[in-house]
Amino acid sequence: MIWDLDLLILLLVVSCALAAITVKDLLSATVIFGVYSFLMCLLWAEMGAVDVAFTEATVGAGVSTVLFIAAILHTSRRSKD
Amino acid sequence: MKALALVATLVTGAILLYGTMDFPAFGDPNAPAAVHLSNNYIEQAVAETHVPNLVTAVLGDYRGYDTMFETVVIYCAGLAVVSVLRRSKS
Amino acid sequence: MSYQSSIWPLAAVLISLLGALPILASDRRPNLRESWTILIAFGKVVIVASMLPTVLNGGGFVFTIAEVIPNVPIQLRVDAMGMFFALVASILWLFTSLYSIGYMRALDEHDQTRYFASFAVAISATLGVAFSANLLTLYLFYEMLSLSTYPLVTHHQDAEARTSGRKYLTYILGTSIGFALPAMLITYQLAGTLDFTQGGILAASGADASTLALILVLFIFGFAKAGIMPFHGWLPAAMVAPTPVSSFLHGVAVVKVGVFSILRVIFHIFGPDLLLQVHLGTVITTLASATILIASLVALTQDNLKRRLAYSTIGQLSYMVLGAGMLTAVGMTGGLLHIAMHAFGKITLFFCAGAIYVAAGKKYISQMDGLGKRMPITYLAFFFGSLSIIGMPPFGGFISKWNLATGAIESGQLILLLVLLVSSLLNALYFFPIVYRGFFMPAAEGEPDGIKEAPLFCLIPLSITALCSLGLFFWPGLFLRLARMAVGL
Amino acid sequence: MTTSNLHMYVLAAPLLTALFVNMLGRVSRSYVAPLVLGALGFSTLASLGVLSRVLDQGSYSYTVGNWAPPMGIELIIDPLSALMLVLISSVALLASFSALPMVAKEQAGKEHLFFTLYLILIAGLMGLVMTGDAFNLYVLLEITSITTYGLIAMGKGRAPLASFNYIIMGSIGACFYLLGVGYLYILTGSLNMADIAQILPQLGGDAAMATALCFILVGLWIKMALFPLHGWLPNAYSLAPTGAGLLVAPLMTKVTIYLMVRVMFSIFGADYLFVQNPLVQSGMVWLATAAIICASCLALAQRNLKRMLTYIIIAEVGYMVGGVWLANSTGLSGAILHIVNDALMTLCLFLAAAAIAYRVGSLDFDNLQGLYKRMPITMAAFTVGAFSMIGIPPTAGFFSKWYLILGGIEAGHWEYVVALLFSSLINAILFFRIIAIAYFRKEGDHARLQREEAPLIMQGPLILTAATLIVIGLGSGPLVRGIIKLALPVGF
Amino acid sequence: MEQFLAIIIAKYNYWLYVVLMMIGFYAMIGKRNLVKKLIGMNIFQTAIILMFVSAGAKYGAKIPILNKHEVLEHGVRAAQVVNPLPHVLMLTAIVVSVSVTGVALAILQRIYREYGTLEEDEILEKLGR
Amino acid sequence: MKLLQERTEKQKFGESLIIQTAVRMMVPFIQLFGLYVIVHGHYSPGGGFQGGVILGASFVLLALAFDLRTSVRYMSERVNNTLGNVGVLIYTGVAVLCALFGGLFLDYSALDAIIPLGPIAWRSFGIFLVEVGVGLAVMSIMVSLFWDLGSGGEMDEGL
């Protein structure tokens, strides 16, 4: 484990999380959330949790995002906050 | 409302941070979590189940009961989506 | 006293409770339904009477239904005090059943099946209270009585009935849950049991005087059916019910269940000795005296006959509590005896009020001028009843008042004697005008001529009860003996 | 340790049947009813067997997959969990009789989906009461939640919105619980409750332990809708499809309270909770008092039968939480007895509400007029349930209230005693208002009203439940002595 | 400086997990858009997963996939392998989280069908009418 | 060329020939990889859940590149549903079977009574069985989730 790489990714993750909940466009928020998940999965892989990382890559960054997008396409893209 | 939410968040975060004071350091191989149960898994799982992927061994066998319900959870989710979203035929 | 295990107490309680079922089932056949009613009432008297010899010989019966809380079973027990009350209630129920049939048929009331079924449940609860072996069982039947009388009070199902029903339940349920239940729980916590024991159960608990005073006041107000002021307001309100209900339930069963419960608490939970020791008798007598005087004064102002009787009842009920509060054996005997004497007198008065309503359709005293000439039997019975209540010899009321007065002197509280005398005077003041108007005032103009006596079904019971209150002066032996046994004389 | 699998069959029957209901119910809806009733009937019988076995031979621990406890997942079958199993399966069986016609009416074409979720919810609840593993509890909690989300969202109108609120609150609750478990895991390295309980006192780490306790409890409180965290419950339970409400309302909060008891005494121990932190203990009794009083007052403001009942449920949660935190055996046995009684009382009232909804449609107070004439049997059973809620002997509610109040007196928490009495009075007002409305009629209705009872399949369980309330009331002595006293945690 | 760094290294990802959890929690209770609430929920859950995975990490350890024959012959030193238990738990947690997300999204679509918006205040406004 | 242009114009938003062709070619490989992940869960990262998600993702990919109807043509809703049920049934069935054959719940070694492979080998094989079940269930549910969320619940009315 390389702690400074960890820290760097963690900071990125935090900024992604902040962005995901502040962006007004829901589609962008969802995509940013996908990026967040992917960074998270990198972090976990780097901590030795390969299975969790694999799952998060397929679920968090993959299926979740797709489901979010599918739902947003059927509802509305805009968000007031 | 937002102010209240912020206060609630900050309080929760503060309590959680207070709780981390007692935690063992990150990556400490002598932390309780690293010595109590997991050692048994690491040392015995392969011999007891013949599965080299420890995660699979623990997931499928030692904690198979959890995994069964995990499967049921996702099954329920699928059913719930169908039952919520579909309009009934009649 | 030795108790033998027996099913009879349960049978006495259950006969009318289960009897409600055939009454409900014969909804569409009034004759069958009323035969059931009379049959059950008669059966009940027989069962109660069959237990009498054993009780008079110093024995008793006991039956445990279920053990619900450690040391507190739901248990029925027949002792002298319970027998005394059960005898009064079941005999008077027989008369009331007859009277109800006449009254309800004459007025062609709706929903008579519900009426008779609720009545049967109510009398079952009354006997349950009489035969309760402990406070929990008593509370159970007490609540059962409150709830089963609700349909009776609101029988007419109009706006007035709704308001009165609400008031009735608010007072009765509110006080029993708010005061009696916590008092019972504190008692249980202190004593570890709730059994009615001669000499009381709280004496051994070592509770201090203030706690005891709190429990006592909670109990007295908690059993609001006894109508101790300021929790008396439900009784005049409940007078919207049909008259048999008022006469039996609010002249005899319901109100006396309240008094009986208070008496049970004073005799068998606290015990007179403990109350004397911590000087709590005055609490009881003060409350009771105040209620007697205020209620008698209010009764003077009422024009509605049933409401006047209701306030009279409130006053009379406190006599019984007063007697118990004297904490002398004679006073307590008088208090207990007054349950029976007042019951016979008051039920006569209510029967008469109902008969007047059935025959003449009148509710207000001011309209009743000259009625006595047309309904002589009814008015004579009314006269007898009022004399008994006032406490004139040769009527039963005299005996209990005599005992009360003796008790007051014996306990050295002469002020109580004064209260008794003043209230007797007030009783006379609010009863005599009614009789006077009936016999000696000319009828108002434009009065229809067709008024005559009420139907026989009404007339016979009221004559019998009137004669009973006369007879009780000469032969009070049975009740006197039971009452003396109950207080341990 | 034992090799008896009986309790596993109790759980497996609804779980497996759920799959068949989904597969076969798609083909023809006539398969649904026999499958559901058969599975639940089997579960009820088997759970009775489990209970009698536990009472006979003492409690036992069961290891799923035959791995010794801290390694594998341990199930604890003691008198308390066996009692809960009986309660869950019998309540579910009774509720499903009534749910079948309701679902056919409200969710035509979706019966198989509804009952699949319904059965899995029951299996989840059964799993919850047996588990002795902190993380397994989380998974099962999520199963029950996710099925409940789905069931509630199947309702009409505002139901999805209520369900979404429930999802957010429920997820916060579950996440908090998981956070607490995580803290415990980091501290002790174990997930087995008994194992954790053994390790915890040896650790110095008080901050993390307190945090874990705090988060686990808050998580469970959100799930059980303890007063300040109750916001999601009234809408969710009152807008849910009637069939779902029948199952969810009697069981969910009660099982969560059971979980709180389990977590409190199996993980943290009475000593840590009550002796070392007396301030927390009395604070909790005050919170429960506030819950009882506020929820009772809120119930007064409702104009719909079902909504009123939901607020009463919240008040009852206050009863039980307070009873548990009184820290004496009387209060605790009162709380456990009240779990049983309250489940049955709520079931009785909701069954009656379902029967009324089946005939009348709306449950607003204005529509209830003259119901005693129209549906006398339903209303009679409703009255019994109402009396039990008020606490009138000999119905069951009186006796649990008796123990709770007695516990309050014993512990010297008079505020709790007053709150219980106050809430009884409020309940009396609430129910007699309804009874009065249903007893009196509209002007001119006297002649028109005809008897029109709900179908027999809905009336049967209703009558049975009402009778059970009285039987349990009269039998509460043996129940407390024979089962609940045995079910109290060690040290009480 | 050295000490300070040591403290940071020892606890930093517990701190950052708290930060992430706070972000998610705030979005769940403070944001008025329902989709945002859901995103917040997912962030909350990943934060918890991060905590668990951190708890299982060991410095200089291998991933928990061993060589069967080697282990059966020579055994394995526990300190050299990452703790697999938190991973197992978190797999379950991920599944739960995606399930809840799925159900919530379906309910969102129902809400949108009903009210035509996903803003909490607008929905409440419509309900008030 | 003109034909191609016409076809491009007729295409709905987001559909492109290149992507469609690529997806058509990729899907079998994705599915193969998914199966590999399920089966090889004993020896490498992955297992039933991840493999199931990948299998499901292949159908989702089809649905994204073409439309939902195409993916339904590959696997009808009824089949999908049955697979999901069967998947969960395998897991719970194995669990109950263990109990029925005299062991404890989920004690795979009890299945030794059916085919004697040895208790430890049965543990390994039992894990494999349930992983397959999980894979089937997860694939089916993922597909169904996407169908329903992607169509707004209009599955029955021809998408």
Side-chain angles (χ1 to χ4, degrees):
Chain A
M1 247 175 321
I2 314 135
W3 74 268
D4 33 9
L5 180 62
D6 258 13
L7 195 56
L8 185 70
I9 300 177
L10 265 173
L11 290 174
L12 265 176
V13 161
V14 170
S15 49
C16 274
L18 276 176
I21 68 160
T22 42
V23 169
K24 299 260 193 251
D25 181 19
L26 288 180
L27 215 49
S28 325
T30 312
V31 173
I32 295 172
F33 175 68
V35 174
Y36 163 90
S37 291
F38 186 71
L39 286 172
M40 217 39 152
C41 117
L42 270 185
L43 193 64
W44 294 336
E46 198 258 345
M47 283 183 192
V50 274
D51 277 82
V52 182
F54 193 0
T55 317
E56 179 69 11
T58 51
V59 173
V63 172
S64 265
T65 314
V66 171
L67 293 184
F68 262 113
I69 290 174
I72 285 170
L73 287 181
H74 274 85
T75 54
S76 120
R77 237 180 111 157
R78 77 191 169 87
S79 155
K80 286 207 290 197
D81 57 3
Chain B
M1 188 60 214
K2 292 216 166 183
L4 198 68
L6 201 61
V7 171
T9 314
L10 289 174
V11 169
T12 321
I15 298 175
L16 283 177
L17 274 179
Y18 166 74
T20 57
M21 285 193 335
D22 289 342
F23 278 11
F26 175 61
D28 181 2
N30 294 318
V35 293
H36 177 54
L37 262 189
S38 62
N39 282 4
N40 299 1
Y41 289 131
I42 295 168
E43 282 157 9
Q44 296 161 16
V46 179
E48 284 175 347
T49 63
H50 282 192
V51 176
N53 185 348
L54 294 177
V55 175
T56 306
V58 178
L59 187 82
D61 203 345
Y62 293 93
R63 299 192 70 87
Y65 191 59
D66 267 356
T67 313
M68 182 176 92
F69 282 112
E70 168 202 323
T71 319
V72 177
V73 164
I74 193 146
Y75 177 77
C76 285
L79 279 181
V81 168
V82 174
S83 54
V84 167
L85 218 45
R86 299 248 174 109
R87 298 181 172 113
S88 48
K89 281 169 204 163
S90 57
Chain C
M1 210 186 279
S2 64
Y3 297 104
Q4 59 193 89
S5 190
S6 157
I7 194 105
W8 285 114
L10 184 69
V13 173
L14 274 191
I15 180 171
S16 50
L17 189 63
L18 296 180
L21 297 176
I23 292 177
L24 280 175
S26 45
D27 184 17
R28 282 159 215 278
R29 277 177 289 176
N31 288 331
L32 182 62
R33 177 182 69 204
E34 278 137 32
S35 314
W36 277 117
T37 307
I38 294 173
L39 192 71
I40 295 159
F42 195 72
K44 185 156 234 156
V45 175
V46 169
I47 293 177
V48 172
S50 73
M51 289 188 283
L52 189 58
T54 318
V55 175
L56 284 175
N57 288 331
F61 299 96
V62 67
F63 183 83
T64 308
I65 298 173
E67 164 105 40
V68 282
I69 288 165
N71 285 331
V72 187
I74 293 184
Q75 194 177 42
L76 297 173
R77 196 169 67 197
V78 184
D79 56 7
M81 191 170 169
M83 195 64 205
F84 178 87
F85 186 42
L87 209 56
V88 174
S90 55
I91 291 173
L92 288 179
W93 189 44
L94 184 58
F95 296 137
T96 315
S97 303
L98 291 170
Y99 182 80
S100 288
I101 295 167
Y103 181 90
M104 297 301 271
R105 287 200 170 179
L107 290 180
D108 196 19
E109 286 277 355
H110 61 97
D111 289 308
Q112 290 194 24
T113 306
R114 188 182 67 205
Y115 170 88
F116 283 111
S118 306
F119 225 123
V121 177
I123 181 68
S124 171
T126 309
L127 277 212
V129 170
F131 289 156
S132 294
N134 56 43
L135 208 47
L136 180 74
T137 318
L138 188 143
Y139 183 81
L140 191 163
F141 286 110
Y142 183 93
E143 295 288 36
M144 189 168 136
L145 182 61
S146 322
L147 298 169
S148 60
T149 42
Y150 177 76
L152 295 172
V153 172
T154 56
H155 183 80
H156 292 304
Q157 296 192 313
D158 51 13
E160 198 193 353
R162 184 189 293 237
T163 324
S164 303
R166 192 182 300 149
K167 196 167 182 182
Y168 178 73
L169 275 184
T170 314
Y171 273 93
I172 300 291
L173 268 188
T175 49
S176 68
I177 295 176
F179 300 141
L181 181 60
M184 190 160 75
L185 278 152
I186 299 171
T187 309
Y188 179 70
Q189 172 72 15
L190 288 173
T193 171
L194 288 175
D195 269 345
F196 294 135
T197 318
Q198 202 76 38
I201 54 173
L202 277 171
S205 69
D208 55 10
S210 54
T211 314
L212 288 175
L214 175 78
I215 301 175
L216 181 66
V217 172
L218 282 178
F219 269 128
I220 288 179
F221 288 145
F223 293 120
K225 282 179 182 159
I228 301 286
M229 286 186 177
F231 294 100
H232 66 286
W234 62 273
L235 188 54
M239 288 300 141
V240 297
T243 305
V245 175
S246 312
S247 60
F248 183 62
L249 295 176
H250 304 125
V252 182
V254 171
V255 288
K256 262 141 216 171
V257 159
V259 172
F260 184 80
S261 311
I262 293 181
L263 261 48
R264 274 284 195 201
V265 167
I266 293 174
F267 291 179
H268 293 157
I269 296 293
F270 284 90
D273 295 340
L274 179 65
L275 288 174
L276 272 177
Q277 203 182 327
V278 291
H279 308 295
L280 283 174
T282 43
V283 175
I284 307 170
T285 48
T286 314
L287 285 169
S289 310
T291 309
I292 292 173
L293 294 175
I294 299 172
S296 303
L297 286 170
V298 176
L300 275 174
T301 66
Q302 300 294 321
D303 189 30
N304 184 323
L305 178 55
K306 279 172 73 181
R307 283 181 77 89
R308 183 174 289 192
L309 292 180
Y311 276 104
S312 161
T313 308
I314 296 172
Q316 299 292 324
L317 292 173
S318 285
Y319 276 41
M320 305 158 202
V321 180
L322 184 74
M326 288 170 186
L327 301 176
T328 62
V330 182
M332 279 152 59
T333 314
L336 202 53
L337 209 53
H338 201 58
I339 290 185
M341 301 309 178
H342 172 254
F344 279 96
K346 192 47 75 54
I347 204 167
T348 312
L349 295 177
F350 271 113
F351 280 174
C352 292
I356 293 169
Y357 181 63
V358 168
K362 292 182 179 183
K363 285 182 179 173
Y364 294 97
I365 297 164
S366 51
Q367 301 169 341
M368 293 178 186
D369 294 353
L371 267 182
K373 287 165 215 152
R374 297 178 195 180
M375 315 173 62
I377 302 177
T378 310
Y379 262 74
L380 196 64
F382 192 93
F383 186 56
F384 278 22
S386 47
L387 284 180
S388 179
I389 301 278
I390 296 163
M392 295 273 189
F395 289 95
F398 174 74
I399 307 231
S400 50
K401 282 211 179 164
W402 178 258
N403 273 301
L404 284 173
T406 320
I409 296 167
E410 211 171 83
S411 71
Q413 294 166 289
L414 289 179
I415 183 101
L416 298 182
L417 192 64
L418 192 66
V419 169
L420 285 172
L421 291 175
V422 171
S423 76
S424 293
L425 189 66
L426 288 170
N427 290 350
L429 276 179
Y430 61 69
F431 277 132
F432 279 138
I434 304 171
V435 183
Y436 177 77
R437 273 169 182 269
F439 281 123
F440 302 112
M441 296 278 270
E445 299 200 4
E447 189 89 0
D449 282 338
I451 301 176
K452 51 180 194 294
E453 288 285 2
L456 271 184
F457 260 124
C458 294
L459 216 52
I460 294 173
L462 70 86
S463 315
I464 296 177
T465 51
L467 289 176
C468 280
S469 39
L470 182 66
L472 277 174
F473 176 77
F474 299 105
W475 299 282
L478 176 63
F479 288 115
L480 200 57
R481 185 158 164 209
L482 280 173
R484 289 207 164 141
M485 281 173 73
V487 297
L489 267 178
Chain D
M1 201 75 62
T2 175
T3 50
S4 163
N5 280 320
L6 192 57
H7 60 275
M8 287 322 298
Y9 297 135
V10 173
L11 179 144
L15 191 59
L16 278 174
T17 316
L19 306 174
F20 287 107
V21 168
N22 189 18
M23 277 193 278
L24 297 178
R26 206 171 282 267
V27 181
S28 158
R29 71 184 62 168
S30 58
Y31 289 116
V32 173
L35 278 173
V36 171
L37 295 179
L40 292 176
F42 171 80
S43 278
T44 311
L45 290 180
S47 62
L48 283 171
V50 172
L51 182 63
S52 72
R53 187 193 155 95
V54 167
L55 292 179
D56 222 31
Q57 301 172 13
S59 42
Y60 55 92
S61 104
Y62 179 93
T63 47
V64 182
N66 206 4
W67 296 110
M71 296 278 279
I73 291 173
E74 184 188 12
L75 305 185
I76 298 165
I77 321 294
D78 58 7
L80 185 54
S81 52
L83 180 69
M84 290 300 289
L85 273 186
V86 174
L87 181 72
I88 292 169
S89 51
S90 51
V91 165
L93 180 64
L94 288 172
S96 56
F97 275 107
S98 209
L100 282 164
M102 271 330 276
V103 175
K105 188 173 179 178
E106 285 180 355
Q107 314 280 340
K110 287 188 188 173
E111 287 106 327
H112 59 284
L113 294 171
F114 183 94
F115 277 104
T116 311
L117 291 176
Y118 185 92
L119 285 173
I120 292 178
L121 171 56
I122 294 165
L125 290 173
M126 287 168 172
L128 272 178
V129 298
M130 289 194 287
T131 187
D133 189 279
F135 187 80
N136 188 241
L137 201 154
Y138 165 77
V139 179
L140 286 158
L141 207 57
E142 282 293 350
I143 282 207
T144 54
S145 309
I146 221 166
T147 43
T148 318
Y149 303 151
L151 286 173
I152 290 174
M154 282 170 87
K156 293 188 192 65
R158 285 180 65 184
L161 193 61
S163 179
F164 191 83
N165 263 331
Y166 183 20
I167 290 190
I168 295 296
M169 288 309 286
S171 299
I172 292 177
C175 286
F176 274 21
Y177 177 80
L178 190 53
L179 274 174
V181 172
Y183 273 51
L184 283 181
Y185 176 70
I186 292 175
L187 270 184
T188 64
S190 179
L191 292 164
N192 184 294
M193 288 186 191
D195 201 29
I196 296 177
Q198 214 177 7
I199 299 172
L200 269 186
Q202 304 158 10
L203 294 172
D206 200 50
M209 185 167 161
T211 313
L213 174 69
C214 168
F215 274 81
I216 287 180
L217 285 184
V218 171
L220 290 176
W221 289 339
I222 293 176
K223 288 267 180 190
M224 73 171 78
L226 185 63
F227 162 62
L229 309 167
H230 68 282
W232 56 268
L233 186 136
N235 275 336
Y237 283 13
S238 62
L239 296 171
T242 316
L246 282 176
L247 182 67
V248 172
L251 288 180
M252 277 297 267
T253 51
K254 264 53 94 184
V255 169
T256 322
I257 288 162
Y258 163 86
L259 293 181
M260 185 181 81
V261 174
R262 178 64 83 198
V263 166
M264 278 168 67
F265 295 106
S266 294
I267 295 186
F268 293 97
D271 184 57
Y272 177 73
L273 292 168
F274 300 145
V275 182
Q276 294 180 28
N277 296 303
L279 214 60
V280 177
Q281 183 254 330
S282 60
M284 276 311 299
V285 178
W286 276 100
L287 187 65
T289 308
I292 296 170
I293 291 178
C294 295
S296 296
C297 292
L298 285 171
L300 272 177
Q302 307 305 319
R303 299 293 306 160
N304 178 296
L305 176 57
K306 238 186 187 181
R307 274 189 83 78
M308 189 193 92
L309 291 180
T310 57
Y311 279 100
I312 291 179
I313 292 177
I314 299 171
E316 303 278 319
V317 169
Y319 284 27
M320 290 172 260
V321 172
V324 172
W325 283 87
L326 283 176
N328 56 37
S329 73
T330 320
L332 190 57
S333 33
I336 293 171
L337 184 61
H338 202 68
I339 289 180
V340 177
N341 291 348
D342 193 35
L344 289 168
M345 297 187 302
T346 318
L347 176 70
C348 181
L349 293 173
F350 270 78
L351 281 173
I356 297 169
Y358 190 86
R359 278 284 173 246
V360 183
S362 159
L363 288 173
D364 288 339
F365 285 172
D366 300 335
N367 296 330
L368 303 179
Q369 282 176 328
L371 267 185
Y372 271 96
K373 198 76 185 166
R374 286 175 70 183
M375 314 176 76
I377 295 175
T378 306
M379 286 311 287
F382 176 85
T383 313
V384 173
F387 287 173
S388 190
M389 274 289 180
I390 299 169
I392 289 172
T395 49
F398 174 79
F399 294 100
S400 44
K401 215 170 262 186
W402 174 280
Y403 286 105
L404 289 174
I405 296 180
L406 207 61
I409 295 175
E410 216 170 277
H413 279 285
W414 289 96
E415 74 281 358
Y416 178 67
V417 174
V418 171
L420 278 179
L421 292 170
F422 174 78
S423 148
S424 295
L425 287 175
I426 297 273
N427 280 355
I429 295 173
L430 290 170
F431 282 109
F432 276 103
R433 193 165 59 176
I434 292 177
I435 288 173
I437 290 172
Y439 179 72
F440 296 102
R441 307 158 196 177
K442 277 185 206 141
E443 291 297 320
D445 255 3
H446 274 271
R448 256 192 325 110
L449 290 179
Q450 292 297 316
R451 269 188 72 164
E452 37 169 0
E453 281 284 1
L456 201 62
I457 192 172
M458 296 180 83
Q459 267 183 57
L462 179 57
I463 297 168
L464 200 60
T465 316
T468 313
L469 280 178
I470 294 176
V471 170
I472 287 200
L474 288 177
S476 66
L479 184 65
V480 170
R481 217 176 329 107
I483 302 179
I484 290 176
K485 286 285 177 217
L486 298 177
L488 293 186
V490 187
F492 269 91
Chain E
M1 188 63 208
E2 197 74 352
Q3 265 181 332
F4 185 62
L5 206 62
I7 293 174
I8 291 182
I9 293 172
K11 294 279 172 68
Y12 68 92
N13 54 2
Y14 289 131
W15 296 347
L16 283 173
Y17 116 76
V18 173
V19 171
L20 281 176
M21 171 261 149
M22 281 162 74
I23 294 171
F25 188 46
Y26 175 74
M28 279 176 96
I29 59 175
K31 291 281 173 184
R32 280 197 290 271
N33 186 291
L34 301 185
V35 179
K36 283 285 173 67
K37 281 178 188 260
L38 273 190
I39 294 178
M41 187 176 94
N42 275 292
I43 293 176
F44 195 155
Q45 267 154 346
T46 39
I48 297 176
I49 298 171
L50 175 61
M51 176 186 82
F52 268 90
V53 171
S54 308
K58 290 180 198 166
Y59 274 113
K62 296 190 297 185
I63 58 168
I65 296 173
L66 309 175
N67 185 320
K68 185 169 163 184
H69 300 288
E70 201 180 294
V71 173
L72 286 180
E73 276 161 35
H74 306 293
V76 61
R77 278 190 53 221
Q80 284 179 352
V81 181
V82 173
N83 181 355
L85 186 54
H87 303 176
V88 174
L89 306 181
M90 287 311 105
L91 280 181
T92 311
I94 291 175
V95 176
V96 167
S97 118
V98 72
S99 309
V100 175
T101 310
V103 177
L105 286 172
I107 291 173
L108 272 188
Q109 291 199 12
R110 273 282 297 272
I111 293 175
Y112 190 79
R113 250 191 241 162
E114 196 102 6
Y115 303 103
T117 174
L118 288 181
E119 300 287 328
E120 209 173 26
D121 42 355
E122 288 175 17
I123 293 174
L124 289 178
E125 213 172 88
K126 287 197 176 171
L127 281 174
R129 267 196 288 118
Chain F
M1 191 65 204
K2 205 180 171 208
L3 265 173
L4 193 66
Q5 261 180 351
E6 270 173 13
R7 213 180 140 179
T8 324
E9 274 161 18
K10 267 197 289 181
Q11 274 170 346
K12 281 188 255 161
F13 170 77
E15 290 183 7
S16 101
L17 193 60
I18 299 167
I19 290 182
Q20 286 184 346
T21 318
V23 164
R24 220 187 271 273
M25 280 165 62
M26 270 167 68
V27 162
F29 290 103
I30 296 176
Q31 287 174 343
L32 198 63
F33 179 62
L35 285 176
Y36 167 81
V37 170
I38 295 179
V39 175
H40 211 250
H42 282 28
Y43 301 96
S44 65
F49 186 73
Q50 294 90 331
V53 171
I54 291 171
L55 279 176
S58 69
F59 289 95
V60 171
L61 205 57
L62 273 174
L64 282 178
F66 298 89
D67 54 9
L68 289 172
R69 213 169 280 127
T70 317
S71 63
V72 178
R73 219 182 306 132
Y74 273 72
M75 182 168 67
S76 78
E77 211 219 334
R78 180 178 290 265
V79 172
N80 184 40
N81 186 56
T82 316
L83 283 179
N85 274 315
V86 166
V88 183
L89 199 59
I90 288 177
Y91 207 137
T92 45
V94 164
V96 173
L97 220 56
C98 298
L100 286 177
F101 275 92
L104 299 183
F105 206 65
L106 274 172
D107 181 4
Y108 306 126
S109 52
L111 294 178
D112 205 31
I114 309 176
I115 308 166
L117 296 177
I120 295 183
W122 253 111
R123 284 205 175 273
S124 172
F125 189 59
I127 294 173
F128 173 74
L129 269 182
V130 299
E131 292 274 14
V132 171
V134 173
L136 279 178
V138 168
M139 174 198 75
S140 139
I141 298 300
M142 284 300 159
V143 173
S144 142
L145 274 182
F146 183 77
W147 279 347
D148 278 302
L149 288 174
S151 69
E154 312 279 324
M155 281 289 294
D156 293 338
E157 286 127 49
L159 299 175

